[in-house]
Amino acid sequence: MVQDSYLPLLAFLVSLCAVPAIVWLRRAPNRREAATFVAAFLKFGFVLAMLPAVLGGEVLRFCFFEILPGLPLEFRVDGLGLAFALVASGLWIVTSLYSVGYMRGAGEGNQTRFFVCFAISLSATMGVAFAGNLFTLYVFYEMLSLSTYPLVTHHGDREARTGGRTYLGYLLGTSIAFVLPAMIYCYVKTGSPMTFASSGFLAGEVGPAGGMVLLLMLTFGFAKSGLMPFHSWLPGAMVAPTPVSALLHAVAVVKVGVFCVIRVFTGVFGTGFLGELDVAYVVSWAAAFTVVTSSLIAMSQDNLKRRLAFSTIGQLSYIVLGVSLLSPYAVQGSMMHIAMHAFGKITLFFCAGAIYVAAGKKYVSQLDGLGRTMPWTMGAFAIGAMSVTGLPLTGGLLSKIYLIWGAADAGQLALLAVFVVSSVLNGVYFFPIVYRAFFCAPEGGAAPGGIKEAPLACVVPLTFTAVVTVLLFFFPGLLFELSSLMIAAE
Amino acid sequence: MIEFFGFLAHQAPLVTVLAPAFGALLVTLFGRGKAEAGLPLALISLSLSSVGAVVTLFHVLASGGELRYRLGGWAPPFGIEYRIDALAALTAAAVVLVGLVNAVFSKTRVAAEAGEKAPFFYTLYLFLLAGLCGIVFTNDAFNLYVLIEITSLTSYALIAMGNRRAALSSFNYVIMGTVGASLYLLGVGYLYIKTGTLNIDGMRAAMAEAGIWGDASITVAFILILVGLWTKMAFFPLHGWMPNAYSYAPTAVGTLMAPLMTKVMVYVMLRVMLFAFGADFSYGGAGCGDIVVALSTVAIVAGSLLALARSDIKKMLTYLIVAEVGYMVGGAWVGNEAGLTGAAYHILSDAAMTFCLFMAVSIIVLRTGDHRLTAFTGLFRKMPLTMIGFTVGALSMIGLPPTCGFFSKWYLVGGGIEAGRWDYVVALLFSSLVNAVIFFRIFERAYFGEMDEPAPAGDDADSRPSQPLERVPWSMLVPLFLAAAAVLLVGLFNNTLAGWLRAALAI
């Protein structure tokens, strides 16, 4: 079932190869952006090309070389990895278009650096998605932390630097302090190449106490998943330009975090073995705490992007909570939620950026009546909010149903209640925004004449992602198939 | 013809050591009054020596084990013998290659800093390298002492050629270095009395034959030798001489000694532990393994914290070396294969990254005229090429893949975990984190400029005209990039290197 292929390598390399082109064309912005688009479409094409084989039950493998004794640096593309790669590479195309509109509309500087770092971080994201073992995963995880730092600190002012420090401090600190020793421990104790396997390569190798420590170190060490108390890098990272917040801090970076956690549960330990150890409940409760707390914090945030950031923290913990329930339905729900939340949340961030570009507004309290001047943007916002809350006719409902189903299946009624209560909270912090935009009178009373939307390059992407969010409700088939591949393998 | 090449290959170890030594003599002979004669002679002799070292390395690898060379054909125990395994060959290659590359790097600096004394400078420089190579190859404990003294005397003089404060730092080093060397000699004296030989392998054989492992005198000799070597390698708290000596020395001396001296002494420690006394005694009979690992833990933590507190760039780097020495001593003493491999591998990887960082910092101090951290302000923009080299070295110090520093840490942490020495493991990770703080603090400054200085309006890298290439001569940039490439290559090929080292250290 394992088949050697160069496709994972190509999909990984294509955006790295775009970097010299982007630098070379730095004086001709239109051609420079063309390089980004070519790379983005090629990347998506390579990822799509892997789809038939993976749906056919194959695992596509590419091995660089044996980097440590008995430990290869290799890619193995399975259903989960491919689903994530599809979402990330597909959204890169949309985000690139949006970036062009946003960066030019908002008059941002250093755009070459911006597009270069973006391309590198997409390569790192593919590396994580395709990583065949824990070591490879770690290497690309660190590459992602470093390549996104210049994006977070793009503005270079005091706020950006503070945000950047928090960002690197948390992400680098936790990975060095927790993941690295845990990984070396696994390597020393098992002597295995740490390849992700459905039964888990740690299965039978550690006792309950050791398993608990390793699980906590690996789960909290991958701090990109935003589990409390290692979450404050994410609101801090909101100082970045909005396309960065949209693709990286709603999709690529944070999803890499939960993706790593899912790998830890399903590939490192194996859900069956974790069930025997009976240690996952600690992670469940940490995630449940994060879900509720972050939703409560989100309600009090007036800065729109910060409110979205806290919402993201909560939604990420849904995924962690789902996988920690160990029930097949919940695990499948978690995997699907990666994609569902990605489309919903990127729409919301696109909207936040469009509002900033068109109206210069950053705060929820300023949004009164904005629906009249920016109907497309605020309409898309409403759809994104519905999906993240988990309302019908949007994709977010499906994954949430699976998560709740899984909680019931696992017999965890308290955790089921967490899902339900937090969904209500999601509605509470999102819908006032929609209400303000469409039903409140704008400040100063008089309605400004006519529609004043952001540039087309901003509005088209956000409309597109909003449409996809709805379509995912009607056509979730592919996601079902890819995620059930992982469940079937167990 | 083939026989001739075979003969040459056989003589390669001697060429490695003697080429710089004869080069030194020639420089003195012809260099009088001609300041510019030193460099070409130094480059020629070091190139010869590098060829010798590389041939030796291939020869050792091809022979699959170790090479023995008798100086003048005299058999031990009377003659001096070279014993060269993969670790020795790799270390010697690192020594001469660093020496060669550094000679190119420091071309302009020696002319500027030593002036008419340049020929003397190159004489000392070449003798120092000849001494280091000899230390690595020799299998004779007393010859080792002589060579240690050669390297020490030359380095005292070299350091003293630096700025006004160098003389005092050098004097400080003389005192500490002499104490260290004397302790080593005292220990060798004990061993000679007990075993009747100075050959390192012979000592182990004689002690095994006489069954005197439990003897107090052996333990005393062991401790004397170790403390002597620790002084020379700046193992905390015996590091006092190093920061000033390396930072006030002439540029070329700092960049040469920082990567090499401490590492060669770690090599000697491994040699003494494993070959003069044997692993059984070092890890068992001597009964000090646990304490030494604890000491190395202290060294790592102290070195990192002291580095964090420094605002002088070079001093900060020297304190990082103090921490790195702790890494290696700890790895050597946790007493398993992974730790030992890590310590030996770190000799190479630390040499590469220290060399890289010291060169980058030397360039920066030179160009900005500022030796404090403030020198880095806005440097990514002003000196992008130099900063690339610096960044590679810094990422390796932090221990991020795929640099060699990451893999050192991998083996060392693995060794610590296997031995259950959690204090050592935590210290290694702590040092990584502190290094991350140290270097990202610098990156931030270099990337954004002054904290309170707002970015100039309309400042956009895309629209700015290309800058002239930071006015650093290629003779400095190319060596820096070579070192940066070495940091990456030693990392990527760690598996191969570690395989050779493991074979060399397995007893």
Side-chain angles (χ1 to χ4, degrees):
Chain A
M1 297 253 290
V2 178
Q3 179 187 328
D4 281 312
S5 163
Y6 283 100
L7 282 172
L9 178 70
L10 290 173
F12 165 72
L13 278 184
V14 65
S15 48
L16 274 189
C17 294
V19 168
I22 296 172
V23 176
W24 182 257
L25 297 170
R26 64 188 181 280
R27 308 220 178 281
N30 287 334
R31 278 186 279 165
R32 177 186 66 194
E33 265 69 293
T36 299
F37 279 109
V38 170
F41 276 105
L42 278 177
K43 187 184 275 288
F44 190 60
F46 287 131
V47 175
L48 269 186
M50 286 183 260
L51 195 56
V54 171
L55 281 179
E58 300 274 358
V59 170
L60 296 178
R61 173 175 174 277
F62 175 83
C63 181
F64 289 86
F65 60 98
E66 191 178 280
I67 192 149
L68 279 159
L71 187 58
L73 189 67
E74 71 172 357
F75 289 150
R76 279 168 187 267
V77 187
D78 56 13
L80 173 61
L82 190 69
F84 180 44
L86 268 178
V87 172
S89 63
L91 285 175
W92 188 30
I93 303 177
V94 187
T95 310
S96 298
L97 179 61
Y98 181 81
S99 301
V100 175
Y102 180 89
M103 296 301 275
R104 295 185 183 179
E108 298 272 358
N110 295 317
Q111 293 189 18
T112 303
R113 185 179 76 200
F114 176 85
F115 284 105
V116 163
C117 292
F118 226 115
I120 299 176
S121 46
L122 255 292
S123 270
T125 309
M126 291 299 120
V128 170
F130 298 153
N133 56 40
L134 192 56
F135 180 83
T136 314
L137 186 77
Y138 178 81
V139 169
F140 291 111
Y141 180 91
E142 294 292 38
M143 178 178 166
L144 185 61
S145 305
L146 294 180
S147 59
T148 47
Y149 173 74
L151 293 171
V152 171
T153 55
H154 187 83
H155 291 139
D157 51 14
R158 183 179 279 273
E159 199 189 357
R161 288 179 215 198
T162 317
R165 265 183 220 170
T166 322
Y167 187 75
L168 266 192
Y170 274 95
L171 296 186
L172 215 54
T174 49
S175 67
I176 291 177
F178 299 137
V179 178
L180 186 62
M183 178 169 65
I184 299 178
Y185 183 86
C186 294
Y187 176 69
V188 169
K189 289 297 169 185
T190 66
S192 77
M194 305 199 285
T195 309
F196 298 126
S198 52
S199 52
F201 66 79
L202 271 184
E205 302 273 358
V206 289
M212 170 86 91
V213 173
L214 281 180
L215 182 71
L216 291 181
M217 285 176 88
L218 288 172
T219 311
F220 286 96
F222 287 119
K224 287 189 179 123
S225 64
L227 268 187
M228 286 184 182
F230 300 110
H231 67 284
S232 39
W233 62 271
L234 185 56
M238 290 300 134
V239 298
T242 305
V244 176
S245 312
L247 184 58
L248 297 179
H249 301 126
V251 183
V253 171
V254 290
K255 293 295 153 55
V256 158
V258 287
F259 180 85
C260 292
V261 172
I262 294 182
R263 281 285 192 225
V264 167
F265 274 83
T266 60
V268 174
F269 286 89
T271 44
F273 179 57
L274 275 178
E276 285 169 34
L277 286 182
D278 191 26
V279 291
Y281 65 90
V282 183
V283 176
S284 301
W285 284 106
F289 174 79
T290 309
V291 166
V292 177
T293 314
S294 67
S295 302
L296 292 174
I297 297 177
M299 292 189 331
S300 68
Q301 299 296 319
D302 191 32
N303 182 318
L304 181 56
K305 277 174 77 181
R306 280 183 73 88
R307 185 176 291 200
L308 293 179
F310 277 103
S311 158
T312 304
I313 294 172
Q315 298 291 321
L316 294 172
S317 283
Y318 274 41
I319 299 173
V320 176
L321 177 52
V323 76
S324 71
L325 288 172
L326 308 178
S327 143
Y329 303 111
V331 173
Q332 195 173 358
S334 287
M335 293 177 185
M336 284 168 56
H337 202 61
I338 289 188
M340 298 302 187
H341 173 246
F343 280 97
K345 191 49 75 60
I346 201 170
T347 308
L348 291 172
F349 270 109
F350 280 166
C351 293
I355 294 169
Y356 176 67
V357 170
K361 290 177 178 169
K362 286 184 183 177
Y363 296 96
V364 173
S365 51
Q366 300 170 326
L367 299 184
D368 291 357
L370 205 64
R372 301 177 199 177
T373 50
M374 303 181 70
W376 286 91
T377 305
M378 292 318 294
F381 190 93
I383 293 176
M386 281 165 70
S387 180
V388 174
T389 313
L391 294 183
L393 299 187
T394 56
L397 174 69
L398 299 178
S399 50
K400 209 164 249 184
I401 285 179
Y402 264 76
L403 287 169
I404 293 177
W405 188 1
D409 183 49
Q412 298 279 7
L413 292 183
L415 295 174
L416 192 152
V418 167
F419 279 125
V420 176
V421 169
S422 76
S423 293
V424 174
L425 292 177
N426 294 344
V428 171
Y429 62 70
F430 273 135
F431 285 98
I433 303 177
V434 179
Y435 178 81
R436 272 170 182 276
F438 284 107
F439 300 107
C440 287
E443 283 169 60
I451 288 172
K452 187 171 163 287
E453 282 279 6
L456 210 54
C458 290
V459 179
V460 171
L462 62 90
T463 314
F464 175 76
T465 51
V467 170
V468 173
T469 307
V470 176
L471 286 181
L472 279 174
F473 177 76
F474 295 102
F475 307 102
L478 183 64
L479 279 174
F480 267 116
E481 278 186 59
L482 285 172
S483 55
S484 53
L485 274 178
M486 300 302 294
I487 306 301
E490 302 213 350
Chain B
M1 199 63 183
I2 292 169
E3 279 166 28
F4 177 67
F5 280 117
F7 174 75
L8 271 192
H10 183 64
Q11 301 296 334
L14 199 62
V15 173
T16 315
V17 180
L18 285 190
F22 279 120
L25 295 176
L26 289 176
V27 172
T28 332
L29 206 58
F30 295 114
R32 291 189 165 262
K34 275 182 287 182
E36 67 281 6
L39 180 67
L41 280 170
L43 289 180
I44 292 169
S45 51
L46 286 174
S47 307
L48 258 178
S49 175
S50 306
V51 173
V54 172
V55 171
T56 309
L57 176 60
F58 279 112
H59 205 170
V60 169
L61 294 177
S63 71
E66 56 181 42
L67 221 59
R68 285 179 189 266
Y69 181 92
R70 289 170 181 175
L71 286 184
W74 294 93
F78 305 107
I80 291 170
E81 184 191 43
Y82 282 176
R83 181 190 168 285
I84 304 161
D85 53 20
L87 173 60
L90 282 168
T91 313
V95 167
V96 289
L97 287 173
V98 168
L100 177 63
V101 173
N102 185 49
V104 177
F105 172 79
S106 56
K107 186 177 81 173
T108 51
R109 292 321 297 158
V110 174
E113 287 172 32
E116 62 201 26
K117 288 190 207 150
F120 301 113
F121 177 90
Y122 282 112
T123 308
L124 293 167
Y125 185 95
L126 290 172
F127 267 130
L128 173 59
L129 285 167
L132 287 174
C133 287
I135 290 177
V136 175
F137 285 161
T138 191
N139 198 27
D140 183 287
F142 185 74
N143 187 232
L144 187 60
Y145 166 74
V146 174
L147 290 164
I148 289 178
E149 282 296 78
I150 289 180
T151 56
S152 304
L153 291 175
T154 49
S155 50
Y156 303 148
L158 282 171
I159 289 169
M161 289 172 92
N163 66 19
R164 278 191 304 130
R165 303 172 71 178
L168 188 61
S169 330
S170 180
F171 182 69
N172 197 350
Y173 183 20
V174 170
I175 306 284
M176 294 282 281
T178 310
V179 171
S182 309
L183 289 175
Y184 171 83
L185 185 61
L186 214 55
V188 172
Y190 271 71
L191 283 182
Y192 182 57
I193 294 168
K194 297 300 284 190
T195 64
T197 178
L198 287 169
N199 184 283
I200 287 179
D201 289 330
M203 284 176 169
R204 189 172 82 245
M207 282 190 275
E209 197 177 325
I212 49 174
W213 295 118
D215 232 16
S217 55
I218 300 295
T219 312
V220 170
F222 188 61
I223 292 171
L224 284 174
I225 291 181
L226 278 180
V227 176
L229 291 175
W230 288 344
T231 314
K232 302 294 276 185
M233 73 171 79
F235 182 51
F236 185 88
L238 304 170
H239 66 284
W241 57 270
M242 194 178 69
N244 285 348
Y246 286 3
S247 32
Y248 299 142
T251 311
V253 177
T255 48
L256 179 74
M257 291 179 54
L260 295 184
M261 294 296 275
T262 53
K263 263 56 81 179
V264 169
M265 288 303 148
V266 172
Y267 166 86
V268 174
M269 182 184 73
L270 287 176
R271 196 72 185 266
V272 166
M273 285 167 63
L274 299 177
F275 296 91
F277 288 89
D280 290 339
F281 176 77
S282 298
Y283 297 126
C288 51
D290 287 347
I291 302 168
V292 179
V293 178
L295 284 175
S296 71
T297 304
V298 176
I300 294 171
V301 174
S304 303
L305 290 178
L306 287 168
L308 184 64
R310 289 292 167 264
S311 60
D312 181 301
I313 316 170
K314 280 194 180 173
K315 282 201 184 152
M316 179 202 84
L317 288 182
T318 55
Y319 281 108
L320 285 179
I321 297 178
V322 172
E324 304 281 325
V325 168
Y327 285 22
M328 290 181 274
V329 174
W333 281 90
V334 291
N336 52 39
E337 195 190 44
L340 211 49
T341 313
Y345 174 75
H346 199 58
I347 290 179
L348 303 175
S349 81
D350 195 37
M353 62 199 190
T354 313
F355 190 38
C356 182
L357 280 174
F358 258 82
M359 283 199 287
V361 163
S362 295
I363 296 177
I364 289 164
V365 171
L366 189 71
R367 296 295 319 164
T368 60
D370 186 356
H371 58 89
R372 303 166 63 83
L373 292 177
T374 45
F376 282 98
T377 310
L379 271 197
F380 272 116
R381 217 148 252 185
K382 296 180 204 152
M383 304 173 66
L385 295 176
T386 311
M387 283 310 287
I388 291 175
F390 180 83
T391 307
V392 172
L395 293 184
S396 182
M397 276 281 174
I398 300 170
L400 291 173
T403 57
C404 56
F406 173 76
F407 296 99
S408 296
K409 223 154 266 176
W410 180 278
Y411 291 112
L412 292 171
V413 171
I417 288 177
E418 213 176 313
R421 288 306 302 246
W422 299 105
D423 52 346
Y424 177 60
V425 172
V426 170
L428 285 173
L429 298 170
F430 173 77
S431 143
S432 277
L433 293 173
V434 172
N435 288 0
V437 172
I438 290 175
F439 285 108
F440 278 100
R441 193 174 59 177
I442 293 178
F443 288 155
E444 199 186 271
R445 182 175 273 282
Y447 185 51
F448 298 114
E450 202 58 59
M451 191 68 184
D452 292 321
E453 178 187 295
D459 183 41
D460 188 345
D462 302 340
S463 55
R464 209 178 302 114
S466 304
Q467 294 212 335
L469 265 184
E470 63 198 76
R471 286 194 225 106
V472 178
W474 286 106
S475 68
M476 295 185 122
L477 280 181
V478 172
L480 176 63
F481 287 150
L482 283 177
V487 168
L488 294 172
L489 288 176
V490 170
L492 288 175
F493 293 99
N494 76 87
N495 200 358
T496 320
L497 288 171
W500 294 341
L501 296 175
R502 212 172 288 123
L505 293 168
I507 317 160

